[in-house]
Amino acid sequence: MRLILFGPPGVGKGTQAKILSGELGIVHIASGDILRSAIANGTELGKKAKTFMDRGELVPDDVVIGIIQDRLKEPDAKKGFILDGFPRTLPQAEALDKVFERAGIAVNKVVSLEVDRRVLLQRLTSRRVCRKCGSIFNLSVDEVEDSRCPKCGGELYQRDDDREETIRRRFDVYLNQTKPVKDFYARKKLLVEVDGIGEIMEVTKRLNEALKR
Ligand code: AMP
């Protein structure tokens, strides 16, 4: 199974991709996670990416395409993968097509999670991430004590780009640069839309049904 999970910031791509990756036994590849880990490790790539990410802008296509191309070559991606946060522009989608063409493979499905903007803003401002295990929590839903991860005890933090001003910029970027990618896959008849509102497990169930379609 080669899957692309698509949707605006805060729609639940990361949360759902982690669950599906476990259920389907395929690797979860999140461009945002790779970039954040480069920042945490202080690499050149991280330094370059940080300026864009802090402003809520996209990291340049050539940088992100290179990262994903390399990641897809790793042995664990051979069995299949879930791409989360990539492609985010038309040039990225076209570059991915070429990578697949050269490898003689194709995407099975592009699932677009749908949630309205008001809910997204609320979810993003109350989102916290565990520095240790990467689990994602929502302060208005999950019981979290002393900013500690209920799963592993790691420190929970708020992503720098989850502040309201930056979130608004990320929404604009999504509408202008990322949404056209949805039409790109709709034209290829690969797109399925799934309602992303509701309990996490409910959404996972809808996703699993959509994958069978
Ligand atoms: P995410 O974790 O997917 O919300 O991504 C966080 C930030 O990383 C985005 O706001 C961008 O600055 C950057 N980023 C992640 N994926 C991409 C991508 N495919 N293209 C460009 N920038 C990206």
Side-chain angles (χ1 to χ4, degrees):
M1 175 68 84
R2 287 175 290 271
L3 182 67
I4 295 175
L5 213 47
F6 185 86
V11 81
K13 299 187 295 294
T15 300
Q16 294 297 335
K18 283 189 180 72
I19 299 174
L20 287 179
S21 144
E23 286 183 0
L24 302 170
I26 52 178
V27 68
H28 167 206
I29 301 178
S31 44
D33 287 350
I34 298 175
L35 293 168
R36 275 184 293 278
S37 112
I39 293 175
N41 293 327
T43 65
E44 276 312 306
L45 164 70
K47 283 180 201 144
K48 187 166 182 201
K50 189 171 183 338
T51 53
F52 295 97
M53 292 169 76
D54 284 350
R55 289 199 300 259
E57 310 270 345
L58 294 183
V59 175
D61 283 338
D62 56 337
V63 176
V64 191
I65 290 167
I67 293 174
I68 295 295
Q69 236 168 351
D70 290 347
R71 182 64 189 85
L72 288 172
K73 283 185 200 142
E74 302 272 328
D76 63 351
K78 293 279 173 283
K79 270 200 300 182
F81 47 79
I82 304 174
L83 277 179
D84 155 14
F86 185 94
R88 241 175 167 106
T89 63
L90 280 178
Q92 289 180 18
E94 282 155 5
L96 188 65
D97 258 11
K98 291 214 180 82
V99 170
F100 288 156
E101 224 175 273
R102 277 199 295 271
I105 56 176
V107 173
N108 301 101
K109 233 163 217 145
V110 179
V111 183
S112 171
L113 278 171
E114 309 283 324
V115 169
D116 76 53
R117 197 166 159 149
R118 194 179 41 82
V119 179
L120 291 176
L121 185 64
Q122 196 277 331
R123 279 190 189 177
L124 285 167
T125 47
S126 53
R127 171 160 75 182
R128 295 294 181 274
V129 185
C130 173
R131 229 180 258 291
K132 204 163 143 197
C133 73
S135 294
I136 303 164
F137 301 94
N138 182 329
L139 291 186
S140 57
V141 182
D142 300 310
E143 286 195 22
V144 165
E145 278 173 43
D146 303 329
S147 295
R148 288 282 147 200
C149 172
K151 289 187 187 159
C152 78
E155 182 205 356
L156 295 186
Y157 76 105
Q158 180 172 36
R159 277 172 45 172
D160 286 341
D161 58 352
D162 276 348
R163 279 185 249 103
E164 195 158 332
E165 265 318 291
T166 319
I167 293 169
R168 291 192 191 283
R169 179 74 197 120
R170 287 163 66 203
F171 283 158
D172 288 344
V173 167
Y174 172 78
L175 284 179
N176 295 326
Q177 300 186 58
T178 307
K179 208 142 178 246
V181 174
K182 192 172 157 183
D183 305 326
F184 175 89
Y185 288 116
R187 281 195 296 276
K188 288 177 178 286
K189 310 244 176 298
L190 288 170
L191 190 84
V192 205
E193 291 185 345
V194 169
D195 178 6
I197 299 219
E199 302 252 323
I200 292 175
M201 294 320 283
E202 229 176 278
V203 178
T204 310
K205 197 167 156 234
R206 282 181 216 137
L207 281 168
N208 275 313
E209 280 157 13
L211 292 182
K212 284 186 211 129
R213 261 185 253 151

